[in-house]
PDB file of all heavy atoms in Angstrom:
ATOM      1  N   ARG A   1     -18.853  -7.376  -6.792  1.00  0.00           N
ATOM      2  CA  ARG A   1     -18.251  -8.002  -5.625  1.00  0.00           C
ATOM      3  C   ARG A   1     -18.413  -9.527  -5.523  1.00  0.00           C
ATOM      4  O   ARG A   1     -19.440 -10.042  -5.778  1.00  0.00           O
ATOM      5  CB  ARG A   1     -18.766  -7.211  -4.403  1.00  0.00           C
ATOM      6  CG  ARG A   1     -18.490  -5.778  -4.442  1.00  0.00           C
ATOM      7  CD  ARG A   1     -18.973  -5.115  -3.232  1.00  0.00           C
ATOM      8  NE  ARG A   1     -18.256  -5.595  -2.108  1.00  0.00           N
ATOM      9  CZ  ARG A   1     -18.474  -5.217  -0.853  1.00  0.00           C
ATOM     10  NH1 ARG A   1     -19.405  -4.250  -0.586  1.00  0.00           N
ATOM     11  NH2 ARG A   1     -17.732  -5.680   0.072  1.00  0.00           N
ATOM     12  N   GLY A   2     -17.265 -10.119  -5.149  1.00  0.00           N
ATOM     13  CA  GLY A   2     -17.387 -11.575  -4.944  1.00  0.00           C
ATOM     14  C   GLY A   2     -17.484 -12.413  -6.209  1.00  0.00           C
ATOM     15  O   GLY A   2     -17.820 -13.638  -6.186  1.00  0.00           O
ATOM     16  N   ALA A   3     -17.372 -11.852  -7.392  1.00  0.00           N
ATOM     17  CA  ALA A   3     -17.482 -12.551  -8.678  1.00  0.00           C
ATOM     18  C   ALA A   3     -16.470 -13.466  -8.830  1.00  0.00           C
ATOM     19  O   ALA A   3     -15.347 -13.342  -8.455  1.00  0.00           O
ATOM     20  CB  ALA A   3     -17.590 -11.550  -9.803  1.00  0.00           C
ATOM     21  N   ARG A   4     -16.716 -14.536  -9.595  1.00  0.00           N
ATOM     22  CA  ARG A   4     -15.716 -15.532 -10.016  1.00  0.00           C
ATOM     23  C   ARG A   4     -14.731 -14.908 -10.903  1.00  0.00           C
ATOM     24  O   ARG A   4     -15.027 -14.092 -11.827  1.00  0.00           O
ATOM     25  CB  ARG A   4     -16.381 -16.682 -10.758  1.00  0.00           C
ATOM     26  CG  ARG A   4     -15.412 -17.625 -11.439  1.00  0.00           C
ATOM     27  CD  ARG A   4     -16.147 -18.525 -12.384  1.00  0.00           C
ATOM     28  NE  ARG A   4     -16.114 -19.878 -11.895  1.00  0.00           N
ATOM     29  CZ  ARG A   4     -16.737 -20.838 -12.438  1.00  0.00           C
ATOM     30  NH1 ARG A   4     -17.446 -20.599 -13.585  1.00  0.00           N
ATOM     31  NH2 ARG A   4     -16.705 -22.056 -11.870  1.00  0.00           N
ATOM     32  N   VAL A   5     -13.449 -15.127 -10.750  1.00  0.00           N
ATOM     33  CA  VAL A   5     -12.350 -14.504 -11.435  1.00  0.00           C
ATOM     34  C   VAL A   5     -11.724 -15.644 -12.335  1.00  0.00           C
ATOM     35  O   VAL A   5     -11.492 -16.741 -11.889  1.00  0.00           O
ATOM     36  CB  VAL A   5     -11.231 -13.937 -10.421  1.00  0.00           C
ATOM     37  CG1 VAL A   5     -10.045 -13.504 -11.188  1.00  0.00           C
ATOM     38  CG2 VAL A   5     -11.952 -12.855  -9.618  1.00  0.00           C
ATOM     39  N   ARG A   6     -11.379 -15.173 -13.487  1.00  0.00           N
ATOM     40  CA  ARG A   6     -10.651 -16.080 -14.523  1.00  0.00           C
ATOM     41  C   ARG A   6      -9.441 -15.310 -14.890  1.00  0.00           C
ATOM     42  O   ARG A   6      -9.432 -14.067 -14.919  1.00  0.00           O
ATOM     43  CB  ARG A   6     -11.618 -16.320 -15.622  1.00  0.00           C
ATOM     44  CG  ARG A   6     -12.824 -17.124 -15.333  1.00  0.00           C
ATOM     45  CD  ARG A   6     -13.615 -17.450 -16.572  1.00  0.00           C
ATOM     46  NE  ARG A   6     -14.848 -18.125 -16.145  1.00  0.00           N
ATOM     47  CZ  ARG A   6     -16.015 -17.600 -16.191  1.00  0.00           C
ATOM     48  NH1 ARG A   6     -16.144 -16.298 -16.583  1.00  0.00           N
ATOM     49  NH2 ARG A   6     -17.103 -18.287 -15.937  1.00  0.00           N
ATOM     50  N   PRO A   7      -8.387 -16.048 -15.405  1.00  0.00           N
ATOM     51  CA  PRO A   7      -7.227 -15.438 -16.033  1.00  0.00           C
ATOM     52  C   PRO A   7      -7.635 -14.412 -17.106  1.00  0.00           C
ATOM     53  O   PRO A   7      -8.429 -14.721 -17.867  1.00  0.00           O
ATOM     54  CB  PRO A   7      -6.442 -16.520 -16.525  1.00  0.00           C
ATOM     55  CG  PRO A   7      -6.779 -17.787 -15.649  1.00  0.00           C
ATOM     56  CD  PRO A   7      -8.255 -17.559 -15.375  1.00  0.00           C
ATOM     57  N   GLY A   8      -7.023 -13.216 -16.941  1.00  0.00           N
ATOM     58  CA  GLY A   8      -7.287 -12.140 -18.020  1.00  0.00           C
ATOM     59  C   GLY A   8      -8.320 -11.140 -17.468  1.00  0.00           C
ATOM     60  O   GLY A   8      -8.366 -10.051 -18.112  1.00  0.00           O
ATOM     61  N   ASP A   9      -9.126 -11.480 -16.434  1.00  0.00           N
ATOM     62  CA  ASP A   9     -10.144 -10.507 -15.871  1.00  0.00           C
ATOM     63  C   ASP A   9      -9.380  -9.331 -15.268  1.00  0.00           C
ATOM     64  O   ASP A   9      -8.292  -9.487 -14.623  1.00  0.00           O
ATOM     65  CB  ASP A   9     -10.961 -11.175 -14.859  1.00  0.00           C
ATOM     66  CG  ASP A   9     -11.977 -12.093 -15.466  1.00  0.00           C
ATOM     67  OD1 ASP A   9     -12.249 -12.047 -16.700  1.00  0.00           O
ATOM     68  OD2 ASP A   9     -12.556 -12.914 -14.730  1.00  0.00           O
ATOM     69  N   LEU A  10     -10.031  -8.139 -15.275  1.00  0.00           N
ATOM     70  CA  LEU A  10      -9.590  -6.980 -14.541  1.00  0.00           C
ATOM     71  C   LEU A  10     -10.195  -7.150 -13.141  1.00  0.00           C
ATOM     72  O   LEU A  10     -11.529  -7.424 -13.059  1.00  0.00           O
ATOM     73  CB  LEU A  10      -9.953  -5.674 -15.125  1.00  0.00           C
ATOM     74  CG  LEU A  10      -9.266  -5.346 -16.378  1.00  0.00           C
ATOM     75  CD1 LEU A  10      -9.809  -4.022 -16.957  1.00  0.00           C
ATOM     76  CD2 LEU A  10      -7.828  -5.222 -16.239  1.00  0.00           C
ATOM     77  N   VAL A  11      -9.537  -7.003 -12.018  1.00  0.00           N
ATOM     78  CA  VAL A  11     -10.094  -7.201 -10.736  1.00  0.00           C
ATOM     79  C   VAL A  11      -9.691  -6.105  -9.785  1.00  0.00           C
ATOM     80  O   VAL A  11      -8.739  -5.374 -10.006  1.00  0.00           O
ATOM     81  CB  VAL A  11      -9.584  -8.532 -10.106  1.00  0.00           C
ATOM     82  CG1 VAL A  11     -10.060  -9.749 -10.951  1.00  0.00           C
ATOM     83  CG2 VAL A  11      -8.072  -8.628  -9.932  1.00  0.00           C
ATOM     84  N   VAL A  12     -10.392  -5.964  -8.758  1.00  0.00           N
ATOM     85  CA  VAL A  12     -10.102  -5.060  -7.663  1.00  0.00           C
ATOM     86  C   VAL A  12      -9.763  -5.948  -6.467  1.00  0.00           C
ATOM     87  O   VAL A  12     -10.432  -6.949  -6.144  1.00  0.00           O
ATOM     88  CB  VAL A  12     -11.307  -4.188  -7.285  1.00  0.00           C
ATOM     89  CG1 VAL A  12     -11.040  -3.421  -5.998  1.00  0.00           C
ATOM     90  CG2 VAL A  12     -11.632  -3.282  -8.449  1.00  0.00           C
ATOM     91  N   ALA A  13      -8.625  -5.701  -5.807  1.00  0.00           N
ATOM     92  CA  ALA A  13      -8.122  -6.451  -4.630  1.00  0.00           C
ATOM     93  C   ALA A  13      -7.663  -5.479  -3.638  1.00  0.00           C
ATOM     94  O   ALA A  13      -7.255  -4.360  -3.907  1.00  0.00           O
ATOM     95  CB  ALA A  13      -7.006  -7.315  -5.119  1.00  0.00           C
ATOM     96  N   ARG A  14      -7.546  -6.008  -2.429  1.00  0.00           N
ATOM     97  CA  ARG A  14      -7.042  -5.242  -1.303  1.00  0.00           C
ATOM     98  C   ARG A  14      -5.457  -5.483  -1.328  1.00  0.00           C
ATOM     99  O   ARG A  14      -4.979  -6.486  -1.621  1.00  0.00           O
ATOM    100  CB  ARG A  14      -7.455  -5.700   0.063  1.00  0.00           C
ATOM    101  CG  ARG A  14      -8.989  -5.390   0.214  1.00  0.00           C
ATOM    102  CD  ARG A  14      -9.375  -5.568   1.656  1.00  0.00           C
ATOM    103  NE  ARG A  14     -10.856  -5.273   1.658  1.00  0.00           N
ATOM    104  CZ  ARG A  14     -11.375  -4.016   1.713  1.00  0.00           C
ATOM    105  NH1 ARG A  14     -10.528  -2.987   1.738  1.00  0.00           N
ATOM    106  NH2 ARG A  14     -12.625  -3.801   1.755  1.00  0.00           N
ATOM    107  N   LEU A  15      -4.698  -4.407  -1.179  1.00  0.00           N
ATOM    108  CA  LEU A  15      -3.293  -4.474  -1.195  1.00  0.00           C
ATOM    109  C   LEU A  15      -2.813  -5.277  -0.017  1.00  0.00           C
ATOM    110  O   LEU A  15      -3.146  -4.974   1.151  1.00  0.00           O
ATOM    111  CB  LEU A  15      -2.635  -3.077  -1.064  1.00  0.00           C
ATOM    112  CG  LEU A  15      -1.226  -2.874  -1.381  1.00  0.00           C
ATOM    113  CD1 LEU A  15      -0.903  -3.227  -2.777  1.00  0.00           C
ATOM    114  CD2 LEU A  15      -0.912  -1.281  -1.173  1.00  0.00           C
ATOM    115  N   PRO A  16      -1.993  -6.351  -0.204  1.00  0.00           N
ATOM    116  CA  PRO A  16      -1.561  -7.287   0.855  1.00  0.00           C
ATOM    117  C   PRO A  16      -0.911  -6.496   2.064  1.00  0.00           C
ATOM    118  O   PRO A  16      -1.159  -6.832   3.206  1.00  0.00           O
ATOM    119  CB  PRO A  16      -0.653  -8.307   0.229  1.00  0.00           C
ATOM    120  CG  PRO A  16      -1.099  -8.296  -1.191  1.00  0.00           C
ATOM    121  CD  PRO A  16      -1.556  -6.857  -1.507  1.00  0.00           C
ATOM    122  N   ALA A  17      -0.051  -5.579   1.805  1.00  0.00           N
ATOM    123  CA  ALA A  17       0.689  -4.874   2.819  1.00  0.00           C
ATOM    124  C   ALA A  17      -0.167  -3.951   3.495  1.00  0.00           C
ATOM    125  O   ALA A  17       0.087  -3.488   4.707  1.00  0.00           O
ATOM    126  CB  ALA A  17       1.888  -4.224   2.276  1.00  0.00           C
ATOM    127  N   ASP A  18      -1.257  -3.424   2.935  1.00  0.00           N
ATOM    128  CA  ASP A  18      -2.112  -2.343   3.472  1.00  0.00           C
ATOM    129  C   ASP A  18      -3.588  -2.725   3.073  1.00  0.00           C
ATOM    130  O   ASP A  18      -4.010  -2.033   2.050  1.00  0.00           O
ATOM    131  CB  ASP A  18      -1.686  -0.932   3.101  1.00  0.00           C
ATOM    132  CG  ASP A  18      -2.549   0.102   3.632  1.00  0.00           C
ATOM    133  OD1 ASP A  18      -3.432  -0.200   4.477  1.00  0.00           O
ATOM    134  OD2 ASP A  18      -2.376   1.276   3.184  1.00  0.00           O
ATOM    135  N   PRO A  19      -4.285  -3.600   3.694  1.00  0.00           N
ATOM    136  CA  PRO A  19      -5.627  -3.874   3.252  1.00  0.00           C
ATOM    137  C   PRO A  19      -6.646  -2.828   3.095  1.00  0.00           C
ATOM    138  O   PRO A  19      -7.668  -3.001   2.503  1.00  0.00           O
ATOM    139  CB  PRO A  19      -6.063  -4.997   4.229  1.00  0.00           C
ATOM    140  CG  PRO A  19      -4.844  -5.555   4.771  1.00  0.00           C
ATOM    141  CD  PRO A  19      -3.878  -4.384   4.834  1.00  0.00           C
ATOM    142  N   ALA A  20      -6.366  -1.661   3.764  1.00  0.00           N
ATOM    143  CA  ALA A  20      -7.301  -0.544   3.596  1.00  0.00           C
ATOM    144  C   ALA A  20      -7.158   0.115   2.262  1.00  0.00           C
ATOM    145  O   ALA A  20      -8.126   0.814   1.793  1.00  0.00           O
ATOM    146  CB  ALA A  20      -6.865   0.503   4.679  1.00  0.00           C
ATOM    147  N   GLN A  21      -6.088  -0.208   1.468  1.00  0.00           N
ATOM    148  CA  GLN A  21      -5.936   0.255   0.022  1.00  0.00           C
ATOM    149  C   GLN A  21      -6.413  -0.796  -0.937  1.00  0.00           C
ATOM    150  O   GLN A  21      -6.076  -1.920  -0.635  1.00  0.00           O
ATOM    151  CB  GLN A  21      -4.495   0.688  -0.104  1.00  0.00           C
ATOM    152  CG  GLN A  21      -4.227   2.123  -0.139  1.00  0.00           C
ATOM    153  CD  GLN A  21      -2.850   2.470  -0.663  1.00  0.00           C
ATOM    154  OE1 GLN A  21      -2.165   1.616  -1.184  1.00  0.00           O
ATOM    155  NE2 GLN A  21      -2.537   3.696  -0.551  1.00  0.00           N
ATOM    156  N   MET A  22      -6.931  -0.379  -2.017  1.00  0.00           N
ATOM    157  CA  MET A  22      -7.316  -1.310  -2.973  1.00  0.00           C
ATOM    158  C   MET A  22      -6.640  -1.030  -4.310  1.00  0.00           C
ATOM    159  O   MET A  22      -6.201   0.127  -4.528  1.00  0.00           O
ATOM    160  CB  MET A  22      -8.848  -1.318  -3.162  1.00  0.00           C
ATOM    161  CG  MET A  22      -9.605  -1.928  -1.966  1.00  0.00           C
ATOM    162  SD  MET A  22     -11.283  -2.273  -2.382  1.00  0.00           S
ATOM    163  CE  MET A  22     -12.013  -0.770  -1.893  1.00  0.00           C
ATOM    164  N   ILE A  23      -6.438  -2.010  -5.067  1.00  0.00           N
ATOM    165  CA  ILE A  23      -5.825  -1.969  -6.361  1.00  0.00           C
ATOM    166  C   ILE A  23      -6.656  -2.564  -7.495  1.00  0.00           C
ATOM    167  O   ILE A  23      -7.464  -3.405  -7.223  1.00  0.00           O
ATOM    168  CB  ILE A  23      -4.450  -2.578  -6.348  1.00  0.00           C
ATOM    169  CG1 ILE A  23      -4.456  -4.016  -5.960  1.00  0.00           C
ATOM    170  CG2 ILE A  23      -3.424  -1.783  -5.431  1.00  0.00           C
ATOM    171  CD1 ILE A  23      -3.170  -4.872  -6.106  1.00  0.00           C
ATOM    172  N   VAL A  24      -6.450  -1.944  -8.704  1.00  0.00           N
ATOM    173  CA  VAL A  24      -7.104  -2.549  -9.914  1.00  0.00           C
ATOM    174  C   VAL A  24      -5.989  -3.193 -10.708  1.00  0.00           C
ATOM    175  O   VAL A  24      -5.052  -2.441 -11.096  1.00  0.00           O
ATOM    176  CB  VAL A  24      -7.823  -1.488 -10.759  1.00  0.00           C
ATOM    177  CG1 VAL A  24      -8.410  -2.082 -11.935  1.00  0.00           C
ATOM    178  CG2 VAL A  24      -8.962  -0.860  -9.949  1.00  0.00           C
ATOM    179  N   LYS A  25      -6.086  -4.423 -11.001  1.00  0.00           N
ATOM    180  CA  LYS A  25      -5.116  -5.116 -11.715  1.00  0.00           C
ATOM    181  C   LYS A  25      -5.702  -6.156 -12.675  1.00  0.00           C
ATOM    182  O   LYS A  25      -6.882  -6.546 -12.562  1.00  0.00           O
ATOM    183  CB  LYS A  25      -4.041  -5.798 -10.802  1.00  0.00           C
ATOM    184  CG  LYS A  25      -3.306  -4.971  -9.917  1.00  0.00           C
ATOM    185  CD  LYS A  25      -2.405  -4.045 -10.620  1.00  0.00           C
ATOM    186  CE  LYS A  25      -1.726  -3.013  -9.710  1.00  0.00           C
ATOM    187  NZ  LYS A  25      -1.157  -1.849 -10.309  1.00  0.00           N
ATOM    188  N   ARG A  26      -4.815  -6.778 -13.524  1.00  0.00           N
ATOM    189  CA  ARG A  26      -5.262  -7.881 -14.390  1.00  0.00           C
ATOM    190  C   ARG A  26      -4.932  -9.209 -13.717  1.00  0.00           C
ATOM    191  O   ARG A  26      -3.739  -9.401 -13.170  1.00  0.00           O
ATOM    192  CB  ARG A  26      -4.676  -7.852 -15.743  1.00  0.00           C
ATOM    193  CG  ARG A  26      -5.162  -9.010 -16.616  1.00  0.00           C
ATOM    194  CD  ARG A  26      -4.907  -8.752 -18.092  1.00  0.00           C
ATOM    195  NE  ARG A  26      -5.266  -7.465 -18.637  1.00  0.00           N
ATOM    196  CZ  ARG A  26      -6.462  -7.170 -19.056  1.00  0.00           C
ATOM    197  NH1 ARG A  26      -7.512  -8.028 -18.976  1.00  0.00           N
ATOM    198  NH2 ARG A  26      -6.694  -5.974 -19.586  1.00  0.00           N
ATOM    199  N   ALA A  27      -5.878 -10.100 -13.515  1.00  0.00           N
ATOM    200  CA  ALA A  27      -5.584 -11.405 -12.890  1.00  0.00           C
ATOM    201  C   ALA A  27      -4.924 -12.273 -14.031  1.00  0.00           C
ATOM    202  O   ALA A  27      -5.471 -12.647 -14.969  1.00  0.00           O
ATOM    203  CB  ALA A  27      -6.921 -12.140 -12.487  1.00  0.00           C
ATOM    204  N   ALA A  28      -3.569 -12.503 -13.780  1.00  0.00           N
ATOM    205  CA  ALA A  28      -2.792 -13.204 -14.780  1.00  0.00           C
ATOM    206  C   ALA A  28      -2.997 -14.789 -14.665  1.00  0.00           C
ATOM    207  O   ALA A  28      -3.256 -15.390 -15.681  1.00  0.00           O
ATOM    208  CB  ALA A  28      -1.352 -12.846 -14.694  1.00  0.00           C
ATOM    209  N   TRP A  29      -2.837 -15.298 -13.521  1.00  0.00           N
ATOM    210  CA  TRP A  29      -2.935 -16.723 -13.253  1.00  0.00           C
ATOM    211  C   TRP A  29      -3.195 -16.951 -11.805  1.00  0.00           C
ATOM    212  O   TRP A  29      -2.912 -16.100 -10.935  1.00  0.00           O
ATOM    213  CB  TRP A  29      -1.789 -17.597 -13.822  1.00  0.00           C
ATOM    214  CG  TRP A  29      -0.578 -17.328 -13.105  1.00  0.00           C
ATOM    215  CD1 TRP A  29      -0.169 -17.964 -11.885  1.00  0.00           C
ATOM    216  CD2 TRP A  29       0.580 -16.492 -13.468  1.00  0.00           C
ATOM    217  NE1 TRP A  29       1.131 -17.580 -11.638  1.00  0.00           N
ATOM    218  CE2 TRP A  29       1.465 -16.696 -12.529  1.00  0.00           C
ATOM    219  CE3 TRP A  29       0.725 -15.584 -14.474  1.00  0.00           C
ATOM    220  CZ2 TRP A  29       2.762 -15.940 -12.516  1.00  0.00           C
ATOM    221  CZ3 TRP A  29       1.945 -14.932 -14.558  1.00  0.00           C
ATOM    222  CH2 TRP A  29       2.964 -15.115 -13.600  1.00  0.00           C
ATOM    223  N   ARG A  30      -3.717 -18.126 -11.481  1.00  0.00           N
ATOM    224  CA  ARG A  30      -3.874 -18.624 -10.139  1.00  0.00           C
ATOM    225  C   ARG A  30      -2.870 -19.646  -9.810  1.00  0.00           C
ATOM    226  O   ARG A  30      -2.732 -20.609 -10.573  1.00  0.00           O
ATOM    227  CB  ARG A  30      -5.310 -19.055  -9.962  1.00  0.00           C
ATOM    228  CG  ARG A  30      -5.648 -19.371  -8.494  1.00  0.00           C
ATOM    229  CD  ARG A  30      -7.050 -19.813  -8.278  1.00  0.00           C
ATOM    230  NE  ARG A  30      -7.252 -19.965  -6.842  1.00  0.00           N
ATOM    231  CZ  ARG A  30      -8.328 -19.690  -6.278  1.00  0.00           C
ATOM    232  NH1 ARG A  30      -9.377 -19.231  -6.862  1.00  0.00           N
ATOM    233  NH2 ARG A  30      -8.424 -19.881  -4.867  1.00  0.00           N
ATOM    234  N   ASP A  31      -2.360 -19.547  -8.663  1.00  0.00           N
ATOM    235  CA  ASP A  31      -1.412 -20.679  -8.173  1.00  0.00           C
ATOM    236  C   ASP A  31      -1.950 -21.079  -6.811  1.00  0.00           C
ATOM    237  O   ASP A  31      -2.966 -20.616  -6.299  1.00  0.00           O
ATOM    238  CB  ASP A  31       0.054 -20.322  -8.183  1.00  0.00           C
ATOM    239  CG  ASP A  31       0.467 -19.125  -7.221  1.00  0.00           C
ATOM    240  OD1 ASP A  31      -0.404 -18.943  -6.270  1.00  0.00           O
ATOM    241  OD2 ASP A  31       1.555 -18.582  -7.297  1.00  0.00           O
ATOM    242  N   GLY A  32      -1.151 -21.999  -6.137  1.00  0.00           N
ATOM    243  CA  GLY A  32      -1.564 -22.419  -4.900  1.00  0.00           C
ATOM    244  C   GLY A  32      -1.699 -21.477  -3.748  1.00  0.00           C
ATOM    245  O   GLY A  32      -2.522 -21.576  -2.826  1.00  0.00           O
ATOM    246  N   ASP A  33      -1.000 -20.317  -3.886  1.00  0.00           N
ATOM    247  CA  ASP A  33      -1.104 -19.268  -2.883  1.00  0.00           C
ATOM    248  C   ASP A  33      -2.110 -18.158  -3.123  1.00  0.00           C
ATOM    249  O   ASP A  33      -2.379 -17.356  -2.298  1.00  0.00           O
ATOM    250  CB  ASP A  33       0.264 -18.566  -2.781  1.00  0.00           C
ATOM    251  CG  ASP A  33       1.326 -19.532  -2.290  1.00  0.00           C
ATOM    252  OD1 ASP A  33       0.992 -20.499  -1.558  1.00  0.00           O
ATOM    253  OD2 ASP A  33       2.493 -19.438  -2.721  1.00  0.00           O
ATOM    254  N   GLY A  34      -2.622 -18.088  -4.335  1.00  0.00           N
ATOM    255  CA  GLY A  34      -3.601 -17.099  -4.710  1.00  0.00           C
ATOM    256  C   GLY A  34      -3.459 -16.638  -6.071  1.00  0.00           C
ATOM    257  O   GLY A  34      -3.031 -17.425  -6.930  1.00  0.00           O
ATOM    258  N   TRP A  35      -3.863 -15.356  -6.363  1.00  0.00           N
ATOM    259  CA  TRP A  35      -3.885 -14.886  -7.725  1.00  0.00           C
ATOM    260  C   TRP A  35      -2.703 -14.057  -7.968  1.00  0.00           C
ATOM    261  O   TRP A  35      -2.251 -13.177  -7.169  1.00  0.00           O
ATOM    262  CB  TRP A  35      -5.168 -14.095  -7.987  1.00  0.00           C
ATOM    263  CG  TRP A  35      -6.353 -14.852  -8.312  1.00  0.00           C
ATOM    264  CD1 TRP A  35      -7.242 -15.419  -7.400  1.00  0.00           C
ATOM    265  CD2 TRP A  35      -6.720 -15.491  -9.586  1.00  0.00           C
ATOM    266  NE1 TRP A  35      -8.167 -16.132  -8.096  1.00  0.00           N
ATOM    267  CE2 TRP A  35      -7.827 -16.199  -9.342  1.00  0.00           C
ATOM    268  CE3 TRP A  35      -6.182 -15.332 -10.817  1.00  0.00           C
ATOM    269  CZ2 TRP A  35      -8.386 -16.925 -10.455  1.00  0.00           C
ATOM    270  CZ3 TRP A  35      -6.700 -15.932 -11.878  1.00  0.00           C
ATOM    271  CH2 TRP A  35      -7.929 -16.715 -11.698  1.00  0.00           C
ATOM    272  N   TRP A  36      -2.033 -14.117  -9.123  1.00  0.00           N
ATOM    273  CA  TRP A  36      -0.995 -13.375  -9.588  1.00  0.00           C
ATOM    274  C   TRP A  36      -1.578 -12.120 -10.361  1.00  0.00           C
ATOM    275  O   TRP A  36      -2.255 -12.263 -11.347  1.00  0.00           O
ATOM    276  CB  TRP A  36       0.041 -14.079 -10.548  1.00  0.00           C
ATOM    277  CG  TRP A  36       1.270 -13.401 -10.747  1.00  0.00           C
ATOM    278  CD1 TRP A  36       1.456 -12.553 -11.834  1.00  0.00           C
ATOM    279  CD2 TRP A  36       2.400 -13.380  -9.973  1.00  0.00           C
ATOM    280  NE1 TRP A  36       2.752 -12.090 -11.744  1.00  0.00           N
ATOM    281  CE2 TRP A  36       3.334 -12.525 -10.568  1.00  0.00           C
ATOM    282  CE3 TRP A  36       2.761 -13.912  -8.796  1.00  0.00           C
ATOM    283  CZ2 TRP A  36       4.563 -12.243 -10.117  1.00  0.00           C
ATOM    284  CZ3 TRP A  36       4.019 -13.723  -8.268  1.00  0.00           C
ATOM    285  CH2 TRP A  36       4.969 -12.895  -8.947  1.00  0.00           C
ATOM    286  N   LEU A  37      -1.502 -10.964  -9.786  1.00  0.00           N
ATOM    287  CA  LEU A  37      -2.058  -9.747 -10.322  1.00  0.00           C
ATOM    288  C   LEU A  37      -1.021  -8.890 -10.992  1.00  0.00           C
ATOM    289  O   LEU A  37      -0.027  -8.621 -10.332  1.00  0.00           O
ATOM    290  CB  LEU A  37      -2.839  -8.984  -9.233  1.00  0.00           C
ATOM    291  CG  LEU A  37      -3.849  -9.737  -8.477  1.00  0.00           C
ATOM    292  CD1 LEU A  37      -4.518  -8.846  -7.497  1.00  0.00           C
ATOM    293  CD2 LEU A  37      -4.901 -10.340  -9.426  1.00  0.00           C
ATOM    294  N   GLU A  38      -1.248  -8.372 -12.201  1.00  0.00           N
ATOM    295  CA  GLU A  38      -0.224  -7.606 -12.924  1.00  0.00           C
ATOM    296  C   GLU A  38      -0.847  -6.325 -13.464  1.00  0.00           C
ATOM    297  O   GLU A  38      -1.901  -6.238 -13.819  1.00  0.00           O
ATOM    298  CB  GLU A  38       0.317  -8.432 -14.116  1.00  0.00           C
ATOM    299  CG  GLU A  38       1.066  -9.644 -13.707  1.00  0.00           C
ATOM    300  CD  GLU A  38       1.772 -10.299 -14.921  1.00  0.00           C
ATOM    301  OE1 GLU A  38       1.521  -9.964 -16.045  1.00  0.00           O
ATOM    302  OE2 GLU A  38       2.649 -11.110 -14.642  1.00  0.00           O
ATOM    303  N   SER A  39       0.090  -5.297 -13.525  1.00  0.00           N
ATOM    304  CA  SER A  39      -0.193  -4.031 -14.141  1.00  0.00           C
ATOM    305  C   SER A  39      -0.103  -4.153 -15.620  1.00  0.00           C
ATOM    306  O   SER A  39       0.664  -4.964 -16.152  1.00  0.00           O
ATOM    307  CB  SER A  39       0.776  -2.955 -13.698  1.00  0.00           C
ATOM    308  OG  SER A  39       0.730  -2.835 -12.166  1.00  0.00           O
ATOM    309  N   GLU A  40      -0.799  -3.285 -16.380  1.00  0.00           N
ATOM    310  CA  GLU A  40      -0.644  -3.282 -17.832  1.00  0.00           C
ATOM    311  C   GLU A  40       0.597  -2.435 -18.186  1.00  0.00           C
ATOM    312  O   GLU A  40       1.224  -2.700 -19.211  1.00  0.00           O
ATOM    313  CB  GLU A  40      -1.894  -2.616 -18.488  1.00  0.00           C
ATOM    314  CG  GLU A  40      -3.149  -3.297 -18.237  1.00  0.00           C
ATOM    315  CD  GLU A  40      -3.236  -4.741 -19.066  1.00  0.00           C
ATOM    316  OE1 GLU A  40      -2.966  -4.620 -20.305  1.00  0.00           O
ATOM    317  OE2 GLU A  40      -3.457  -5.725 -18.462  1.00  0.00           O
ATOM    318  N   ASN A  41       0.935  -1.531 -17.315  1.00  0.00           N
ATOM    319  CA  ASN A  41       1.990  -0.549 -17.588  1.00  0.00           C
ATOM    320  C   ASN A  41       3.004  -0.696 -16.501  1.00  0.00           C
ATOM    321  O   ASN A  41       2.945  -0.049 -15.521  1.00  0.00           O
ATOM    322  CB  ASN A  41       1.449   0.936 -17.604  1.00  0.00           C
ATOM    323  CG  ASN A  41       2.513   1.923 -17.889  1.00  0.00           C
ATOM    324  OD1 ASN A  41       3.703   1.635 -18.130  1.00  0.00           O
ATOM    325  ND2 ASN A  41       2.066   3.255 -17.815  1.00  0.00           N
ATOM    326  N   GLN A  42       4.008  -1.531 -16.776  1.00  0.00           N
ATOM    327  CA  GLN A  42       4.992  -1.846 -15.747  1.00  0.00           C
ATOM    328  C   GLN A  42       5.930  -0.691 -15.506  1.00  0.00           C
ATOM    329  O   GLN A  42       6.704  -0.724 -14.419  1.00  0.00           O
ATOM    330  CB  GLN A  42       5.795  -3.074 -16.187  1.00  0.00           C
ATOM    331  CG  GLN A  42       5.103  -4.342 -16.166  1.00  0.00           C
ATOM    332  CD  GLN A  42       4.705  -4.785 -14.713  1.00  0.00           C
ATOM    333  OE1 GLN A  42       5.402  -4.623 -13.793  1.00  0.00           O
ATOM    334  NE2 GLN A  42       3.533  -5.259 -14.597  1.00  0.00           N
TER     335      GLN A  42
END
């Protein structure tokens, strides 16, 4: 929890539309608004 995230890391995040739900995704890149998180299997 609270670990530094780098592009390529697998992360757990709260779903923006429903913060009670969490998702596991790959941190693709960081931009001014936050982290771009992507699935491996689109």
Side-chain angles (χ1 to χ4, degrees):
R1 297 180 66 179
R4 172 192 250 176
V5 174
R6 295 183 184 106
D9 287 344
L10 293 177
V11 298
V12 173
R14 295 193 179 280
L15 192 61
D18 181 7
Q21 257 191 6
M22 290 194 267
I23 55 174
V24 176
K25 300 292 175 198
R26 185 163 310 275
W29 68 83
R30 185 176 184 146
D31 66 16
D33 296 329
W35 281 94
W36 190 265
L37 305 181
E38 293 186 349
S39 301
E40 298 288 307
N41 179 5
Q42 290 293 322

